[in-house]
Amino acid sequence: ETDEIAPFAWQSEGVSNYLAYSVSGDNEAVLVLDDAGFINVFDQHEQWQLTTRFQVIDQLDEEKSVKLIANKAHDISYLVYGNTVYQINFENQSVNEVITVEQGIANLTWLGAFEEAHEH
């Protein structure tokens, strides 16, 4: 709209790195997992200011891989941490384990969802 680009401050006090990032399912926020185990939500409607921050991992292990992907059908995201997939619900700021597998998870892709009456 303004033909301008500017950085935004994504680092909360005491945070030096991010481990994973994604765009929200509605494409209106940037989601950043920081090195303290918190999800940080930067909302475009608030000029990319930090609007929500809550902990999703208590103790991080640098040896474990981390990936974050948004569910484009609902206001949730999935976090792959090591061999476990977690579902993050932003409305109630909750984190639930979905599945743990024996082998490491190399990647994660959101394929979509459809209603039963959906014709494709």
Side-chain angles (χ1 to χ4, degrees), residues 1-20:
E1 287 181 23
T2 63
D3 290 328
E4 295 177 13
I5 189 168
F8 66 93
W10 65 267
Q11 292 172 303
S12 299
E13 188 174 323
V15 174
S16 58
N17 293 309
Y18 69 87
L19 303 176

Side-chain angles (χ1 to χ4, degrees), residues 11 16 25 28 58 69 93 114:
Q11 292 172 303
S16 58
E28 295 186 355
D58 292 329
I69 187 167
Q93 299 181 4
F114 58 89

Side-chain angles (χ1 to χ4, degrees), residues 47-112:
Q47 306 303 313
W48 301 110
Q49 296 298 309
L50 179 67
T51 56
T52 305
R53 184 172 191 254
F54 61 98
Q55 192 156 23
V56 294
I57 300 174
D58 292 329
Q59 297 225 340
L60 291 170
D61 180 351
E62 292 180 14
E63 300 293 316
K64 292 184 178 181
S65 64
V66 180
K67 302 205 182 297
L68 187 62
I69 187 167
N71 177 323
K72 298 295 185 179
H74 304 285
D75 192 20
I76 59 175
S77 287
Y78 297 97
L79 171 68
V80 175
Y81 178 62
N83 296 356
T84 305
V85 177
Y86 298 92
Q87 179 178 299
I88 302 169
N89 184 313
F90 292 96
E91 186 175 326
N92 60 19
Q93 299 181 4
S94 65
V95 181
N96 297 306
E97 184 177 321
V98 175
I99 189 171
T100 297
V101 296
E102 287 185 38
Q103 299 293 323
I105 300 170
N107 213 338
L108 185 69
T109 301
W110 172 248
L111 296 176

